[in-house]
Structure formats: structure tokens, C-alpha cells
């Protein structure tokens, strides 16, 4: 059976993107080699159906022209002509909740391995992420700035990264991975390992929050992530707990907004969702335990829900009988209700996978998105994973590391493109098995 999924984009586009960025950060003055796709049907990132057979000209890393007529080109030596053969051209996928540094290690190895080794492992995973068709990820916590730089400089193939840097949490909050014997911490004590790595930072007052937020912005964060409530993977963080106070959350929002960007929070429960919104937070990560009142509030205030269709097998990441596993089951139980609220109230919804500590699940990154067809049509899922996610990315404003439009196929947009052998709207499973079906040039 012929279900070959062809990825163009970054295989070619990477060299193009990086060469042109060095000279011209503004896409409007983009120059560079030309690529012409002929005879492709376009999923533009929004529309519910494919276009008629079309031709697309990419100059440098920008889509310059789309036409149903042949596009004349000068046959320079560096012009690439790609006969699409009726395949589907679509925007690269975007994963809105990814942890590039924490996909492959175990929690223990993430804390204890040599940092050089950890980065090389993350680089290899970033290349695989890209080759699964994910051309952009929003990194929701981890010391990712070095990896991002290496990708942007063309040293390692990988997706564009919108980094949060360290997740900011409280003592005892999600992401505080200290052992119990390390408490109490007195002022002047050395930072804990997770803080030394830059994976999480602990802050217990509005002043400390401001300091930590400004540090991440200085390091290059495109948005800020706070842990507003308890989490699954942490050892000492019950899921029902609200961590930051409203003044602490507000301090973070103020500092981020002074830099022209926004705060997103890890929040499962109604209380953490509502408190975060009151403090000015623009996006809720997860939200699986939301109630109807918080759903309505999110819709009314146009707050983004950045959520994940967790597969039941994700429980296997945690040891049998562990509290982490129990907490995951609780989250999973809320998932159906959350997606029904999101639809009922038309909450602005972005999607990601939040794969942590599991190379096996990472290989299923595309397939995890297809779980969403329990609640959404395939066209809606594809639109979420491209144009809707890109709309949320744009909240980073001038802190976006990549000026230009993502997640759309239209003239002037950045050319992160996938060429798919088949129609992903008719058969979304085409995205599920990239290991066998992807080809890149
Ligand atoms: Zn996460």
C-alpha cells in the first residue's frame, strides 16, 4: 500500500531559513533560492477542504506566490522544482506543549547526567521531532536555550523553538524536585539541582517571582510559564493544590507584559484556573479538571486553553502504585468533560502532547494528535495543530524569535511545509506513522 508521507520543509528549508536569517531578519526583504511546487492541493491551515491543484513559489523561507496557473521561474542553478504529483501541501505541525530537554531522559537521568550528554540527546530528539513533521514547538519548561541556538544556527536540524526557559514554581510546587531532607532552605544556600540546570526555579514571594521571570526573559524566553497548581510528575505536589497567590501571579504577568509577552500557567483545577485569570494570565496549560464555571470564564475573557489529548498508556511512564500514576488517572478522567466544555463554549484551544520522559511516546507524537478526533473533525484537528497554535504563538509579540507568519499557507507566510502523499483531512492517520512514511529532501 502506498501511503508515503513526504515532508518537505525543513529538510530543504533549513539551510534556506538559516542562511537568510543571518542577513535579513525581516521576511519582507527576503531573498534566496527559489523552490517551486507544482500540482499540489493545499490545506492552508484553516479551510475544511483542500484547494484545487495549485502551484506555490517559495523564495528563501517565505511563500511568495500561490496560483492555480503555472508560475514562471528563472531556472537558476539553485532553483528547486518539486513536482507535487497531486499531493497535499500543508503547514508544518506545531506542538504547543513540548519539553525538548525532557523527552528522552528519565526524571533521574535528567537531574544527574552530564549536561553535555543531555544536550546531545536532546539534539538527536529535536531532529526526530522535526522529521515527524513538527516544524515548531513551544517549549514549556527546560534548559533549552542552547539547543535552540544550535538549531537556529543550523548546527543541529530541529524545529523552531519558542522557549519558556525554566518553569517557575513555589516551594513544594510542581517542578520542585528537591528531596525532603533539603528543607528548610535558608537564604544563601546553594540552589537545588533542578535550579542549577535551569529546568525550574523556585520563587516564594512577588519579588522573587519578578526576579525569576526577568531572568528567563533576559535569557531569551518568548513567554513565561508558572506552575499555578499541583502536577502529576512531581513527587511532593498534590494535584488539588493551588501554589502561587494572586499577587505572585500578578507580579509575573506584570514583568512579562513589560517585555511585551505573556504568562501561561500549568493549571488543572477550577481554583487555579480562576485565580490565574484574575491575575491576568493569558493561557491555561492542561485544564483537564476544569468545571463549567471556569470554562465559561475562559470563553468570556478569551483565555487560551493549551491542552493535550493524553493517551491512557501515558500512565506507564509512572511506576505501578505510585502517587504520580494515581494523579495521572485523575487527570485522564477529566479529559472528556474538558473537551466537551471547550467545544460547547468555543474556548480558544491550542494543542500539544506534553510527552515527558518517554522516547516511545515521542515516536507517537503525530498519532497523539489524532486522539482529538474523539471530539473534533480531522479538519478541525489539523487547523488546531497549525493555524490556531500559531495564533497563540503570536502572543509573544516582539519576543517571538521568528518574525513572520507561521501555521498558514498563504502568500507572505513562512514556508514551513509538509508534502503529504494523500489527503490528511480524509485520512488523518497519515500523520500517525512518520517513521515509515516520511521522506525529506
Ligand atoms: Zn508540561
Amino acid at each position: 500500500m502506498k501511503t508515503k508521507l513526504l515532508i518537505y520543509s525543513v529538510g530543504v528549508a533549513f539551510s534556506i531559513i538559516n542562511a537568510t536569517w543571518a542577513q535579513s531578519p525581516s521576511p519582507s526583504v527576503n531573498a534566496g533560492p527559489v523552490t517551486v511546487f507544482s500540482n499540489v492541493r493545499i490545506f492552508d491551515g484553516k479551510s475544511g477542504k483542500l484547494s484545487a491543484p495549485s502551484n506555490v513559489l517559495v523564495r528563501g523561507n517565505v511563500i511568495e506566490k500561490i496560483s492555480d496557473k503555472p508560475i514562471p521561474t528563472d531556472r537558476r542553478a539553485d532553483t528547486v522544482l518539486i513536482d507535487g504529483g497531486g499531493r497535499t501541501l500543508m503547514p508544518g505541525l506545531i506542538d504547543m506543549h513540548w519539553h525538548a530537554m525532557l523527552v528522552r531522559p528519565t526524571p533521574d537521568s535528567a537531574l544527574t547526567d552530564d549536561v553535555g550528554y543531555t544536550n546531545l540527546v536532546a539534539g538527536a530528539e529535536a531532529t526526530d521531532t522535526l522529521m515527524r513533521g513538527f516544524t515548531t514547538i513551544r517549549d514549556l519548561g527546560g534548559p533549552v536555550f542552547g539547543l535552540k541556538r544550535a538549531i537556529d544556527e543550523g548546527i543541529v536540524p530541529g524545529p523552531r523553538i519558542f522557549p519558556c526557559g525554566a518553569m517557575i514554581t513555589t516551594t513544594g510546587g510542581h517542578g520542585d524536585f528537591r528531596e525532603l531532607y533539603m528543607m528548610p532552605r535558608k537564604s544563601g544556600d546553594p540552589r537545588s539541582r533542578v535550579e542549577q540546570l535551569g529546568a525550574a526555579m523556585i520563587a516564594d514571594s512577588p519579588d522573587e517571582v519578578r526576579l525569576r521571570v526577568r531572568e528567563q526573559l533576559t535569557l531569551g524566553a518568548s513567554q513565561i510559564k508558572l506552575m499555578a497548581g499541583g502536577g502529576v510528575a512531581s513527587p511532593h505536589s498534590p494535584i488539588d493544590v493551588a501554589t502561587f497567590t494572586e499577587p505572585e501571579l500578578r507580579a509575573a504577568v506584570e514583568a512579562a507584559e513589560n517585555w511585551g509577552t505573556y504568562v501561561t500557567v500549568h493549571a488543572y483545577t477550577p481554583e487555579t484556573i480562576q485565580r490565574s485569570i484574575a491575575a491576568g494570565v493569558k493561557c491555561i496549560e492542561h485544564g483537564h479538571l476544569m468545571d463549567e464555571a471556569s470554562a465559561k470564564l475562559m470563553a468570556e475573557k478569551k483565555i487560551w486553553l493549551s491542552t493535550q489529548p493524553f493517551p491512557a498508556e501515558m500512565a506507564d511512564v509512572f511506576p505501578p502504585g505510585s502517587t504520580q500514576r494515581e494523579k495521572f488517572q485523575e487527570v485522564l478522567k477529566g479529559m472528556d468533560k474538558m473537551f466537551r466544555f471547550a467545544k460547547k463554549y468555543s474556548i480558544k484551544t491550542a494543542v500539544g502532547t506534553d510527552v515527558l520522559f518517554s522516547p516511545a511516546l515521542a515516536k507517537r507524537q503525530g498519532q497523539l494528535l489524532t486522539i482529538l478526533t474523539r471530539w473534533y473533525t480531522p479538519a478541525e484537528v489539523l487547523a488546531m495543530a497549525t493555524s490556531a497554535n500559531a495564533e497563540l504563538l503570536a502572543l509573544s509579540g516582539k519576543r517571538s524569535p521568528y518574525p513572520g507568519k507561521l501555521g498558514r499557507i498563504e502568500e507572505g507566510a513562512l514556508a514551513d511545509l509538509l508534502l503529504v502523499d494523500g489527503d490528511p483531512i480524509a485520512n488523518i492517520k497519515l500523520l500517525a506513522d512518520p517513521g515509515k512514511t516520511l521522506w525529506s529532501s
Side-chain angles (χ1 to χ4, degrees), residues 97 99 140 225 286 354 356:
H97 194 124
H99 299 271
L140 266 288
K225 183 195 190 188
H286 314 305
D354 198 15
L356 281 165

Side-chain angles (χ1 to χ4, degrees), residues 215-343:
E215 284 170 350
Q216 298 313 312
L217 292 165
T218 306
L219 289 165
S222 51
Q223 65 286 317
I224 292 295
K225 183 195 190 188
L226 261 65
M227 303 305 214
V232 171
S234 300
H236 314 298
S237 168
I239 201 96
D240 59 292
V241 163
T243 46
F244 285 110
T245 61
E246 198 180 310
E248 287 166 342
L249 291 164
R250 197 173 294 120
V253 167
E254 230 174 57
E257 288 184 352
N258 286 343
W259 276 63
T261 184
Y262 68 99
V263 172
T264 188
V265 290
H266 164 103
Y268 283 110
T269 63
E271 190 184 348
T272 51
I273 293 170
Q274 292 180 20
R275 187 185 296 181
S276 302
I277 294 172
V281 163
K282 293 287 191 303
C283 180
I284 302 294
E285 303 297 320
H286 314 305
H288 293 68
L289 303 176
M290 73 167 62
D291 61 3
E292 190 138 21
S294 12
K296 277 186 194 163
L297 183 70
M298 288 185 71
E300 185 190 305
K301 302 260 184 192
K302 299 193 166 36
I303 304 300
W304 278 92
L305 172 65
S306 162
T307 195
Q308 306 84 33
F310 290 137
E313 319 80 82
M314 207 174 219
D316 299 336
V317 174
F318 311 106
S322 63
T323 52
Q324 285 98 325
R325 200 177 172 108
E326 212 174 282
K327 288 191 278 184
F328 179 75
Q329 296 301 350
E330 196 182 334
V331 163
L332 201 60
K333 260 190 243 150
M335 188 162 76
D336 179 60
K337 201 157 82 173
M338 172 195 61
F339 278 117
R340 283 190 285 115
F341 284 147
K343 283 201 78 168

